[in-house]
Amino acid sequence: MASVEAQPAAVFGCRPGVSGGVCFLQERLVLHAAGAALAQFHTEQRWHEFIPGREKSRGVRALAVSRSRRYLAVSETAEEEPALTVYELSSGPPRRRRTLTAAELPAREALALAFSPDGRHLAAATGPPEARLALWLWEKQRLLAAVRLEAASGGVCQVSFSPQDNTQICVTGNGFFKLFKYSEGTLKQTNLQKGEPQNYLCHAWLSEEEIICGTATGKLFLFETGELYTFLACSYSDVSGEPTSEDSGSLQDSLPQISAVVAYSKGFACSSSPGVVLLFEKTNNKEVYKESQEIWLPQDLFTTVPKLLGRQDITCICFSPSEEAMVVSTTKNQLYMFTMPSTDYLKEESSHFEYLHFPLHSASITGLDVCIRRPIVATCSLDKSVRVWNYKTNTLELYKEFWEEAYTVALHPTGLFCLVGFSDKLRFISVLYEDMHVFKDFPVRECRECSFSNGGHLFAAVNGNVIQIYSCTTFENTNNLKGHSGKICAVKWSADDSKCFSCDTHGAVYEWNLSTGKREMECVLTSCIYSSIALHSDSKVVFAVGSDQTLKEISESSVQHEVPAFDVVYTAVAVSHSGDMVFVGTSLGTVRAMKYPLPLCRDFNEYQAHSGAVTKMSVSNDDLFLLTASEDGSIFFWKVYSKKGKILKREKEFEYAEEVLIMKSDIEEKNRAILDLQIRVSELQTENDYQLRLKDISCHEKIKELEETFTQELESLKNKHQILQAEKDNQEMQHQLQLSELMNKHAKEMRDLESDSNQKLLMENEKYQELQVNSQRMQEEYEKQLHNLQESKNRALEELTDYYEEKLNEKSLLLEEAEEDMRQQLQAHEEIKKQIEEDEDREIQDIKIKYERQLVQEKESNLQLKGEIGVMNKRLNSLQKELKERNSDIEDMKLEQQNLEGVIKSLEKDISMLNTNIEKRTNTIQEKEKHIYDLKKKNQELEKFKFVLDHRIEQFRKQIESRENDIKIMKEQIHEFARPLLIWRKRKRIPLRKTYMERELEQLHKENTQLKLNITQLQQKLKATDKELHKERQKKQNMEALIKRFKMDLHNCVGFIQDYKKLKVGIRELYTKYVQQLEMVEMEEVDTDLQQEYMRQREYLERNLAALKKKVVKDQEIHQAAYTHIMQENVSLIKEINDLRQELTVAHTQVHDLQSALRLTKKKQAIQDTAPSSEMLSSPAVLRLNVQKENEKIIEMQLLEIQHLREQIQEKGQGLEAQPLLHGMLPKLNLERSRKAHQH
């Protein structure tokens, strides 16, 4: 086996047109169709994993995941018969469990799949010409039932199971909506279609009886138990506004249609119009659904073309298991993600998706190149975009769209510049930090191949059949390499940049010497159309691939070695820089890795990757990565390993450069913005300090007032407490009396129940003995019956054996007779065969004689024709003389024609000059109209922003009022709880400290100041936006007036279109009249461009700010939960303290009473010295002494508990001080409940 292995490290691509093409396997793990199989992507850890399909797979057509996320079903198309594969996802990498095929069904691919709720059954719908629905018990590979779907003109769109019934299936498509029930081994239709047939594109089960269906007309139909219940018309809103001239032809594609529907716990989501997902939720009336939110696709950030992303249809929607995230796929091979809001408070009416990983190519990739100094790769595509990827971090670093399709791309060795070939020009582009800047244009039309030299001082560009060499410093054309007769497909440089190698479609491979500009080596095979070449590290061996299904090793002007492709066409080739590894891409999208020298037999590793032909492939400078691109728009980053699975290591570790390019204007703008922000921060700090001082003064005054009110309330509470204590004693006495009565009743009831249960037990015992006797009797009867049945069965068996033995004898006689008939028929057949062979021999001899005669006749006719040919040759010579005379006449006529053409060209030049002038003016008019349209859009956005800011200011004002009310209530609460603690501390002489409530008050003051700061910032933003609005409106009015004047003058000038002299004079007058104004407008446009760049940077910072705010809100919710828990504990502790205080006061009163009782008893003892000891023991005074000791012990225990609780409160207060408050969100205290607790 080959000792080179490759493993996919990252996959950037999405296969369109796959039913259920995106799904969640876990909470953060997304599965989607990519290339020829499937790819997994982790949204948090950002890693990729590729799941290869079957051999010779042409791609996935349908996916389905079971409800338990344990099984995955995949429908693939292959050269052989299509099949369904079921994978197990429970542990480790996906494992193939079953492959389903059925002889009953014709060999075709499944267009839609679905698992049953329990995951045991699998439903599959096949496509036209004969659409069928099949139901499998997939674990046993058994086809349970199959039914033909009639009236399926446009094929099946979706199939699904009922969420709670394993036997009910729904199928929708063009012109039909059908429900099937599986029973008794068949699928039976349970609904009858009524009304006009609709093109049902998708459906979803909302409950066991409700199904929502989306149609191509933009309507949602709700079915209940298979019958139409109601329909909803989704509101269609266009993102783009008025269609441009380019989009007018595709208006039909952007009509509203429900292309995807999915249900979730609150309702369902659907894609109503191109680029938008609507969320519908159930209202209080459970049968009605109402639109709750719109989610739009995002706009491109780096594009220079006003591309309408909203035009792409959403084909698949899926929710994560916890419904915290939603992922969608579109018709333009893009994947988007949206995080669902955790609460209704955070929900907005319209939101935007984010890219799941990065913007992907949506068309065939035409170019791919790597550089030396940076770990980046550049790609270009027919989707008019150029992208720069980092294959180390698996990220997209740069992305830019252009007006034309990009045919080829080449990266400078430093990675700071690139070449891109377009239909009209070859552009030299600077790769900046956040953009691509076109530095130089070269007049090379439809450049399909270009390449930088290894030193970076030269680059080669293909212009037709010529390779043009340019200098990267002077941009001069230093050399032109001519000699190719066909279209040049590849250009490669030698290691020392002294030679250049190329190949073309006419089977030629040339080696060029750049110092002389001549060919040094050539190898031509006209039978092969070359598509790609690669050089060995020593530049002496060339590897070439083409249409003849071989990999050729060329050196010294000849093919040294050929490796067959085994019925596949090789389309691309790449060689490692070490020279010991060769990688080849095929037309099926597979990648083959082999060692050098090339193997003689099939000794290579083949990997499934793309679903289309591999267009480009390259190896990184350190030989650790292989990069491949394909016609399906997907890019694969492969890690290269040795045979033992170890990563290859170079002798010297290579360090990549970290420097980037940036425009000077960008740096200046950022410095200005930093200075402005620093000035604003200093101003805000001074304002902050002043407001804090004012607030401190007002707070001190309020605290004094609250202390006075708190003392008055304490006195009233003490009086209430004494009254409540007396009531409590009365209620305790009544409770004891009631308890004694209940205990007596309970004892009587227990005695009665025991007597009843004993009697019932005796009765049940007697019944059990009777039943046991009956069962013995029944057993004896059944044994007798069994014996009789066994005897009758034996007799019947003997009779049957005799009957069937007689029948066997009869059949054997019949068989012998049939064998004799067969022998007779065989003898007759052999005689007939001999007669036929004799007849054929006679016919062959007759035909032979006939054709020999015809040969003689043909030879005679050939001799006659030769004589006629001699006569014709003489005539031909005479005609050639006449031709020469005619040619001389034609040359004279051509000279006259040339003179006339010179006159025509001079006239055409005048006409072209006039046309160019007209085109320039029309272009300027179009640009001004576009500028006005952009200004109108900006105006609308600014008005929306103003409205949002006004709304936020009102919300902040309301929050401030509510906070002030909370402060008042909490201050009252502080005085209520702090007064008894202060008195107790003074008694115990404990030093005073800041309470938890005081700390909380300070934090509230800080939060109020922060809110005021936010309000001032928003007000400043409002003022700035108002100023910009005023300026933009003024510019718009000026531009409209200028355009009107120009149109009037141009209309007058068009009147002289027949008289070109007057037309020329009129255009000159227009130029002299408007040239100064146009220059001024251009200067203004430069300013507007700077403003646009500033606004873009500002929007980027605001987006970052919004993301940080979202994080803050999440942290705030966590802290809020912690605070509420702590506050609840504090309230419970305060209640316990109050209860202990009450018990303390009661204990004090009891002690006082006991002391007075002691004095009385002492006096009585002095009087009654003669009383007996028995009377003394039973006296109440002795009992009171014991009670007094117990009360003292209770008081000591309670004091210890109070100290312990205070220590806990202090520890929790210190813990809360360590946790910062976010936006002042303290939990509100319920003062009414605490007051009621004090009263009780």
Side-chain angles (χ1 to χ4, degrees):
M1 279 296 291
S3 59
V4 182
E5 293 180 1
Q7 184 179 347
V11 183
F12 294 105
C14 179
R15 182 179 170 85
V18 178
S19 177
V22 182
C23 52
F24 275 91
L25 299 182
Q26 296 174 15
E27 183 60 34
R28 301 293 178 191
L29 190 62
V30 180
L31 178 81
H32 64 91
L38 304 171
Q40 295 181 32
F41 178 71
H42 200 281
T43 56
E44 275 190 355
Q45 299 174 8
R46 314 296 290 179
W47 52 261
H48 300 250
E49 189 174 343
F50 188 69
I51 304 172
R54 299 171 66 212
E55 289 185 7
K56 297 182 180 179
S57 174
R58 294 291 179 86
V60 179
R61 287 307 306 270
L63 292 177
V65 177
S66 63
R67 188 181 288 182
S68 62
R69 319 272 175 184
R70 188 180 175 187
Y71 300 111
L72 168 68
V74 182
S75 169
E76 294 177 274
T77 57
E79 289 184 355
E80 302 167 2
E81 62 173 12
L84 300 177
T85 310
V86 180
Y87 294 88
E88 188 174 356
L89 308 167
S90 56
S91 60
R95 186 166 57 88
R96 194 174 294 173
R97 278 285 299 271
R98 294 285 186 273
T99 301
L100 306 176
T101 55
E104 291 87 344
L105 291 173
R108 67 173 63 83
E109 58 200 5
L111 300 180
L113 299 173
F115 274 103
S116 61
D118 60 358
R120 294 178 61 195
H121 298 87
L122 181 66
T126 61
E130 290 183 6
R132 288 177 181 268
L133 174 65
L135 180 65
W136 267 281
L137 187 65
W138 64 267
E139 286 185 347
K140 295 183 179 179
Q141 293 183 333
R142 192 172 74 194
L143 182 68
L144 297 176
V147 65
R148 186 175 177 181
L149 299 171
E150 296 178 357
S153 57
V156 178
C157 292
Q158 192 175 350
V159 62
S160 65
F161 277 90
S162 171
Q164 295 171 358
D165 190 355
N166 293 324
T167 61
Q168 196 167 6
I169 303 169
C170 178
V171 186
T172 54
N174 190 357
F176 67 93
F177 166 80
K178 294 185 179 184
L179 289 171
F180 290 93
K181 185 88 172 176
Y182 175 71
S183 63
E184 298 176 358
T186 57
L187 286 167
K188 297 176 183 177
Q189 189 172 346
T190 58
N191 70 319
L192 292 170
Q193 197 164 347
K194 297 176 183 178
E196 292 183 4
Q198 300 284 336
N199 185 4
Y200 297 105
L201 299 176
C202 54
H203 71 267
W205 292 79
L206 302 179
S207 65
E208 194 175 357
E209 295 180 348
E210 289 183 344
I211 302 172
I212 192 84
C213 292
T215 64
T217 57
K219 291 181 180 179
L220 288 166
F221 287 85
L222 183 64
F223 291 89
E224 269 194 13
T225 62
E227 293 184 359
L228 182 62
Y229 177 70
T230 184
F231 71 90
L232 302 167
C234 292
S235 58
Y236 171 66
S237 52
D238 193 0
V239 185
S240 61
E242 295 178 1
T244 58
S245 59
E246 292 179 1
D247 300 326
S248 60
S250 62
L251 276 172
Q252 191 175 358
D253 299 334
S254 64
L255 290 173
Q257 61 178 14
I258 312 296
S259 54
V261 173
V262 67
Y264 71 111
S265 58
K266 293 182 180 179
F268 66 91
C270 70
S271 62
S272 66
S273 58
V276 65
V277 172
L278 301 180
L279 296 181
F280 285 85
E281 292 182 1
K282 276 190 179 180
T283 57
N284 294 327
N285 183 6
K286 291 185 179 178
E287 295 178 353
V288 179
Y289 290 89
K290 188 179 178 183
E291 183 186 332
S292 62
Q293 195 174 6
E294 291 182 0
I295 308 164
W296 294 89
L297 295 184
Q299 296 295 322
D300 282 343
L301 297 176
F302 303 110
T303 181
T304 56
V305 182
K307 182 183 175 185
L308 303 173
L309 274 183
R311 291 294 179 194
Q312 48 186 328
D313 287 326
I314 293 165
T315 56
C316 184
I317 307 171
C318 68
F319 284 93
S320 64
S322 64
E323 296 182 355
E324 289 181 1
M326 175 172 57
V327 171
V328 299
S329 64
T330 67
T331 51
K332 292 192 177 178
N333 307 0
Q334 302 298 323
L335 294 168
Y336 299 97
M337 184 176 175
F338 177 72
T339 52
M340 301 291 285
S342 56
T343 57
D344 293 334
Y345 179 73
L346 297 171
K347 191 182 288 184
E348 297 178 359
E349 288 184 4
S350 63
S351 305
H352 286 84
F353 283 97
E354 296 175 352
Y355 284 103
L356 181 65
H357 27 64
F358 302 105
L360 306 173
H361 282 295
S362 59
S364 174
I365 296 169
T366 55
L368 181 145
D369 196 20
V370 296
C371 66
I372 298 170
R373 293 291 297 145
R374 294 174 68 191
I376 57 172
V377 56
T379 59
C380 65
S381 170
L382 296 178
D383 61 4
K384 304 178 182 179
S385 69
V386 177
R387 298 162 204 251
V388 178
W389 310 81
N390 191 316
Y391 54 80
K392 286 274 188 184
T393 59
N394 297 334
T395 54
L396 177 68
E397 290 198 349
L398 269 180
Y399 160 50
K400 187 158 184 175
E401 290 197 2
F402 296 89
W403 288 100
E404 302 96 8
E405 294 176 347
Y407 297 131
T408 184
V409 67
L411 265 179
H412 195 268
T414 60
L416 301 176
F417 307 99
C418 70
L419 282 169
V420 183
F422 296 98
S423 59
D424 57 344
K425 290 176 184 177
L426 176 70
R427 290 189 170 94
F428 189 90
I429 296 172
S430 300
V431 181
L432 304 178
Y433 177 59
E434 289 181 342
D435 197 5
M436 293 183 185
H437 177 66
V438 178
F439 186 76
K440 179 77 174 174
D441 290 340
F442 297 94
V444 181
R445 290 182 173 275
E446 293 189 0
C447 179
R448 301 278 176 174
E449 280 295 325
C450 60
S451 178
F452 279 100
S453 63
N454 294 312
H457 60 292
L458 299 171
F459 67 86
V462 174
N463 190 357
N465 298 335
V466 180
I467 302 170
Q468 295 181 343
I469 308 298
Y470 289 88
S471 171
C472 290
T473 52
T474 60
F475 298 111
E476 292 179 355
N477 185 4
T478 58
N479 209 339
N480 289 324
L481 308 178
K482 297 178 182 178
H484 280 285
S485 59
K487 181 183 171 184
I488 299 169
C489 297
V491 177
K492 299 291 177 184
W493 293 81
S494 62
D496 57 356
D497 295 334
S498 62
K499 296 177 183 178
C500 186
F501 296 82
S502 61
C503 69
D504 63 14
T505 55
H506 287 180
V509 177
Y510 294 150
E511 178 186 343
W512 305 89
N513 191 328
L514 295 179
S515 58
T516 59
K518 294 180 181 179
R519 285 181 291 190
E520 287 191 350
M521 183 272 286
E522 61 180 37
C523 178
V524 181
L525 287 171
T526 54
S527 61
C528 179
I529 299 170
Y530 286 116
S531 57
S532 178
I533 59 169
L535 287 180
H536 195 265
S537 55
D538 59 1
S539 303
K540 293 179 180 178
V541 179
V542 181
F543 299 94
V545 293
S547 61
D548 61 350
Q549 299 184 358
T550 57
L551 168 64
K552 296 178 180 63
E553 183 184 342
I554 301 169
S555 65
E556 297 176 358
S557 301
S558 63
V559 177
Q560 301 294 330
H561 186 47
E562 286 188 357
V563 178
F566 303 99
D567 300 327
V568 176
V569 176
Y570 285 142
T571 56
V573 64
V575 183
S576 64
H577 293 83
S578 60
D580 57 352
M581 294 180 288
V582 180
F583 302 96
V584 188
T586 68
S587 58
L588 295 178
T590 58
V591 175
R592 293 178 178 178
M594 56 188 79
K595 285 289 284 183
Y596 183 78
L598 297 175
L600 298 170
C601 58
R602 189 166 183 163
D603 187 13
F604 53 79
N605 290 323
E606 188 168 9
Y607 302 99
Q608 269 192 354
H610 307 278
S611 60
V614 178
T615 54
K616 297 287 178 181
M617 62 194 311
S618 184
V619 180
S620 63
N621 194 50
D622 55 3
D623 289 346
L624 296 178
F625 290 91
L626 171 68
L627 316 163
T628 61
S630 170
E631 288 178 353
D632 61 1
S634 62
I635 302 165
F636 277 65
F637 296 166
W638 305 79
K639 274 191 177 179
V640 181
Y641 295 92
S642 63
K643 189 176 181 181
K644 295 178 182 178
K646 294 181 181 179
I647 298 172
L648 297 168
K649 290 184 179 179
R650 299 193 71 182
E651 294 177 359
K652 294 181 180 179
E653 290 188 1
F654 193 78
E655 291 183 1
Y656 289 107
E658 294 182 357
E659 63 267 13
V660 292
L661 291 179
I662 190 165
M663 299 288 283
K664 189 179 179 181
S665 58
D666 294 342
I667 295 167
E668 288 173 353
E669 282 181 8
K670 284 180 181 176
N671 289 332
R672 284 176 204 150
I674 290 161
L675 283 169
D676 293 339
L677 289 167
Q678 285 175 351
I679 293 160
R680 192 181 290 175
V681 166
S682 62
E683 289 173 356
L684 287 168
Q685 281 178 350
T686 52
E687 287 179 7
N688 229 351
D689 294 336
Y690 177 69
Q691 287 175 358
L692 276 169
R693 286 171 191 166
L694 290 173
K695 282 195 174 178
D696 287 337
I697 294 161
S698 62
C699 286
H700 285 302
E701 290 173 356
K702 286 178 182 177
I703 287 163
K704 286 177 183 177
E705 292 173 1
L706 286 167
E707 282 177 353
E708 291 172 358
T709 54
F710 183 66
T711 52
Q712 292 172 2
E713 287 176 0
L714 259 176
E715 289 173 358
S716 63
L717 285 167
K718 281 180 182 178
N719 296 326
K720 285 179 184 177
H721 179 262
Q722 290 174 359
I723 295 159
L724 289 166
Q725 187 66 37
E727 289 177 0
K728 183 191 170 188
D729 295 335
N730 294 328
Q731 284 176 1
E732 281 179 354
M733 291 290 289
Q734 290 174 2
H735 180 66
Q736 286 176 359
L737 291 167
Q738 287 173 0
L739 258 174
S740 61
E741 289 174 1
L742 285 166
M743 289 290 285
N744 294 327
K745 283 181 184 178
H746 181 66
K748 286 177 183 178
E749 287 174 359
M750 283 289 288
R751 288 168 197 158
D752 296 335
L753 283 166
E754 280 180 4
S755 62
D756 292 338
S757 62
N758 289 327
Q759 288 176 2
K760 285 178 181 176
L761 274 167
L762 290 166
M763 292 286 287
E764 292 293 330
N765 196 8
E766 289 173 359
K767 284 180 183 178
Y768 172 72
Q769 288 174 357
E770 288 175 3
L771 288 166
Q772 199 169 8
V773 172
N774 289 330
S775 67
Q776 288 176 358
R777 197 186 302 150
M778 292 283 282
Q779 194 172 358
E780 290 172 358
E781 289 175 0
Y782 281 122
E783 283 175 356
K784 287 177 184 177
Q785 287 177 5
L786 273 168
H787 184 67
N788 295 329
L789 286 166
Q790 188 70 31
E791 289 177 354
S792 63
K793 184 185 173 184
N794 291 331
R795 288 172 199 158
L797 267 168
E798 288 172 359
E799 290 173 0
L800 283 166
T801 49
D802 295 336
Y803 173 72
Y804 281 113
E805 280 175 358
E806 289 174 3
K807 275 196 172 184
L808 264 169
N809 293 326
E810 290 175 2
K811 294 286 181 186
S812 59
L813 291 168
L814 290 167
L815 265 169
E816 288 173 359
E817 290 174 1
E819 283 175 356
E820 286 178 1
D821 292 336
M822 282 287 289
R823 286 169 194 162
Q824 291 173 3
Q825 286 176 4
L826 280 167
Q827 288 173 1
H829 178 69
E830 285 176 356
E831 289 175 0
I832 292 161
K833 189 179 175 183
K834 286 177 183 177
Q835 289 176 3
I836 289 165
E837 284 175 353
E838 289 173 358
D839 294 337
E840 282 178 352
D841 290 334
R842 287 172 195 162
E843 286 178 2
I844 288 161
Q845 285 177 356
D846 294 338
I847 290 162
K848 191 177 179 182
I849 293 159
K850 184 182 175 183
Y851 280 114
E852 283 175 352
R853 288 173 186 167
Q854 283 181 1
L855 254 174
V856 173
Q857 290 174 1
E858 288 292 330
K859 283 177 181 177
E860 290 174 356
S861 62
N862 277 333
L863 289 167
Q864 289 176 359
L865 287 166
K866 280 179 182 177
E868 290 175 0
I869 285 161
V871 174
M872 293 297 286
N873 283 327
K874 288 177 182 177
R875 286 184 184 176
L876 210 153
N877 291 325
S878 62
L879 287 167
Q880 280 177 351
K881 287 178 183 177
E882 289 178 4
L883 258 172
K884 285 177 183 177
E885 292 173 358
R886 291 285 171 86
N887 283 330
S888 61
D889 295 335
I890 287 161
E891 284 175 358
D892 297 334
M893 295 292 285
K894 277 182 180 177
L895 290 168
E896 289 178 4
Q897 189 181 353
Q898 284 175 1
N899 295 326
L900 291 168
E901 280 176 353
V903 176
I904 290 160
K905 280 179 182 178
S906 62
L907 292 168
E908 281 176 353
K909 280 180 184 177
D910 294 335
I911 291 160
S912 64
M913 285 290 287
L914 292 167
N915 286 329
T916 50
N917 288 328
I918 290 160
E919 283 175 2
K920 283 178 184 177
R921 299 303 169 201
T922 51
N923 289 328
T924 50
I925 290 160
Q926 286 176 1
E927 286 174 359
K928 300 305 171 191
E929 285 175 351
K930 282 181 183 176
H931 190 61
I932 289 158
Y933 180 70
D934 293 333
L935 289 169
K936 283 179 181 176
K937 270 193 174 178
K938 264 191 186 177
N939 196 356
Q940 289 174 359
E941 288 173 359
L942 289 166
E943 284 175 356
K944 286 178 185 176
F945 188 62
K946 186 182 176 185
F947 176 75
V948 170
L949 288 171
D950 289 334
H951 181 64
R952 283 186 180 174
I953 288 160
E954 286 177 3
Q955 285 180 345
F956 284 128
R957 281 175 184 164
K958 287 177 183 176
Q959 284 181 4
I960 289 160
E961 287 173 3
S962 64
R963 292 290 166 80
E964 286 175 354
N965 293 328
D966 292 339
I967 288 161
K968 286 178 183 177
I969 293 160
M970 291 181 78
K971 281 179 181 176
E972 289 172 3
Q973 197 172 1
I974 287 160
H975 286 290
E976 284 176 8
F977 292 125
R979 188 68 180 174
L981 283 168
L982 287 165
I983 292 161
W984 183 79
R985 282 176 179 170
K986 284 176 183 177
R987 283 178 185 171
K988 298 287 180 178
R989 295 179 182 177
I990 295 167
L992 292 170
R993 293 179 186 174
K994 278 189 179 180
T995 59
Y996 174 76
M997 293 295 178
E998 287 171 351
R999 293 192 202 105
E1000 202 170 357
L1001 250 178
E1002 288 175 1
Q1003 289 171 353
L1004 278 168
H1005 291 319
K1006 289 176 184 176
E1007 288 160 8
N1008 281 332
T1009 52
Q1010 187 64 36
L1011 285 167
K1012 285 186 178 178
L1013 273 170
N1014 292 335
I1015 289 160
T1016 51
Q1017 283 179 357
L1018 291 166
Q1019 285 173 350
Q1020 286 174 357
K1021 282 183 181 179
L1022 254 175
K1023 287 176 184 176
T1025 49
D1026 286 330
K1027 285 178 183 177
E1028 286 174 359
L1029 250 173
H1030 185 70
K1031 285 178 183 176
E1032 293 296 331
R1033 282 175 180 162
Q1034 191 64 39
K1035 282 180 184 177
K1036 180 187 155 190
Q1037 288 173 1
N1038 294 336
M1039 290 302 291
E1040 283 176 350
L1042 194 140
I1043 287 161
K1044 280 181 184 176
R1045 278 188 271 126
F1046 184 80
K1047 280 181 178 177
M1048 290 290 290
D1049 293 338
L1050 200 138
H1051 183 71
N1052 295 330
C1053 191
V1054 168
F1056 305 114
I1057 199 158
Q1058 298 297 329
D1059 191 357
Y1060 73 92
K1061 289 182 180 178
K1062 288 182 180 179
L1063 185 71
K1064 191 174 181 181
V1065 171
I1067 286 164
R1068 279 180 179 171
E1069 286 174 359
L1070 280 172
Y1071 182 80
T1072 52
K1073 189 176 180 181
Y1074 291 104
V1075 69
Q1076 292 178 351
Q1077 294 180 1
L1078 285 169
E1079 286 174 356
M1080 290 296 291
V1081 169
E1082 285 174 359
M1083 289 296 290
E1084 286 176 4
E1085 282 179 355
V1086 172
D1087 294 334
T1088 52
D1089 292 334
L1090 290 168
Q1091 285 177 358
Q1092 284 176 359
E1093 185 65 20
Y1094 172 73
M1095 289 299 290
R1096 189 173 69 79
Q1097 292 290 333
R1098 186 174 171 182
E1099 284 173 2
Y1100 175 73
L1101 290 168
E1102 284 176 353
R1103 261 186 268 110
N1104 286 339
L1105 218 160
L1108 289 167
K1109 280 182 180 177
K1110 284 181 182 177
K1111 284 184 181 177
V1112 165
V1113 168
K1114 284 182 182 177
D1115 294 335
Q1116 181 182 350
E1117 288 173 359
I1118 295 160
H1119 289 301
Q1120 188 175 357
Y1123 271 114
T1124 49
H1125 180 67
I1126 290 159
M1127 288 302 293
Q1128 285 170 2
E1129 286 181 356
N1130 286 341
V1131 170
S1132 63
L1133 289 168
I1134 289 161
K1135 283 180 183 177
E1136 287 176 7
I1137 289 162
N1138 289 328
D1139 294 333
L1140 290 168
R1141 283 184 191 136
Q1142 290 171 7
E1143 288 174 6
L1144 257 173
T1145 51
V1146 171
H1148 282 305
T1149 52
Q1150 286 177 357
V1151 168
H1152 184 68
D1153 293 336
L1154 289 166
Q1155 285 173 354
S1156 60
L1158 263 170
R1159 287 167 192 165
L1160 285 167
T1161 50
K1162 283 177 183 178
K1163 286 176 183 178
K1164 285 178 183 178
Q1165 277 180 357
I1167 295 161
Q1168 298 173 357
D1169 288 327
T1170 56
S1173 62
S1174 62
E1175 289 178 2
M1176 288 293 289
L1177 286 166
S1178 61
S1179 66
V1182 175
L1183 290 167
R1184 283 179 183 172
L1185 280 166
N1186 294 329
V1187 171
Q1188 186 180 1
K1189 288 177 182 177
E1190 287 175 2
N1191 285 331
E1192 284 175 358
K1193 286 179 181 177
I1194 289 162
I1195 288 159
E1196 287 176 359
M1197 291 292 287
Q1198 286 174 350
L1199 285 167
L1200 288 168
E1201 283 179 1
I1202 288 162
Q1203 285 180 357
H1204 180 65
L1205 290 166
R1206 279 177 183 148
E1207 287 172 0
Q1208 284 185 351
I1209 289 161
Q1210 285 177 0
E1211 286 174 1
K1212 287 180 180 177
Q1214 288 170 3
L1216 286 168
E1217 283 177 0
Q1219 294 176 356
L1221 287 166
L1222 297 171
H1223 297 289
M1225 293 297 288
L1226 278 169
K1228 294 181 180 177
L1229 288 169
N1230 198 341
L1231 296 170
E1232 291 180 3
R1233 289 184 184 175
S1234 61
R1235 283 175 185 170
K1236 286 178 183 177
H1238 283 302
Q1239 287 172 4
H1240 291 297

